[in-house]
Amino acid sequence: SSETHDSAPAHVCSRADKFLQKYRLDLEGMDQIWLLMDVDRWGSRNLAQAHQHARERGYQLAISNPSFEIWLLFHLSTDVSGIRNCSDCEERIRQILGSYNKSNLDIRPYTDDSIRDAISRARETCPNPSAWPITTGTCVYLLMEQILPSRRVYA
């Protein structure tokens, strides 16, 4: 069953719990744990359980619909029409860049300017940081806002 897969939400939550204990992180202080998950892989029921787990533990959640690749596509285009699944995202990226290899990502197209664009585009698709995009979109911008320089040039 796919629910026993290592990237299933329950397993991701369990690994986060172990990481929290092993490294004695202080989620009340400066430490954060982020869980990144995809809608197309796990569905609403599994994501709702992960969302509840994350809220109880103080973890941050960044869910993408349909998949993380929508975040990459937002670096390149405002047009996400017709995107139904991860394969659609990958194909659109290939159309724009000429190639795409998820296991050997060419980072050259993902510039500071494109990151700013992606954050702006993604923010529109996930206006409620405590939920996830019901349609095509991603909340990964929330994580990016945390790890980018604090001078907020990306806002």
Side-chain angles (χ1 to χ4, degrees):
S1 142
S2 66
E3 292 182 22
T4 62
H5 192 277
D6 283 348
S7 64
H11 288 280
V12 172
C13 290
S14 176
R15 281 199 317 276
D17 292 344
K18 291 174 184 163
F19 193 86
L20 177 66
Q21 292 172 345
K22 179 178 180 179
Y23 294 101
R24 297 188 182 106
L25 300 179
D26 177 13
L27 300 185
E28 301 289 320
M30 297 291 290
D31 297 328
Q32 297 181 8
I33 291 180
W34 281 82
L35 310 179
L36 277 66
M37 298 181 188
D38 298 344
V39 170
D40 80 338
R41 183 89 192 251
W42 303 116
S44 295
R45 184 176 63 83
N46 284 323
L47 291 174
Q49 291 171 352
H51 186 264
Q52 180 66 28
H53 185 104
R55 286 183 54 182
E56 289 170 0
R57 304 289 200 284
Y59 303 157
Q60 307 299 316
L61 204 55
I63 296 177
S64 298
N65 187 0
S67 65
F68 178 80
E69 283 73 16
I70 198 69
W71 169 248
L72 299 178
L73 182 55
F74 276 142
H75 288 72
L76 309 169
S77 177
T78 57
D79 180 14
V80 295
S81 61
I83 300 291
R84 299 175 316 277
N85 53 45
C86 182
S87 295
D88 290 344
C89 285
E90 292 174 357
E91 182 56 32
R92 187 74 56 85
I93 293 168
R94 272 189 203 93
Q95 289 171 358
I96 294 168
L97 296 180
S99 66
Y100 173 73
N101 181 341
K102 106 188 307 180
S103 62
N104 187 19
L105 185 66
D106 177 2
I107 62 168
R108 289 174 296 179
Y110 304 97
T111 63
D112 285 354
D113 286 344
S114 78
I115 293 169
R116 279 191 283 274
D117 292 341
I119 288 172
S120 176
R121 293 166 182 162
R123 187 183 288 123
E124 291 178 20
T125 69
C126 185
N128 180 359
S130 65
W132 59 83
I134 301 306
T135 58
T136 307
T138 182
C139 297
V140 171
Y141 77 91
L142 296 166
L143 171 59
M144 293 305 295
E145 289 178 333
Q146 291 295 310
I147 62 177
L148 290 170
S150 59
R151 60 186 183 278
R152 306 290 289 170
V153 297
Y154 294 90

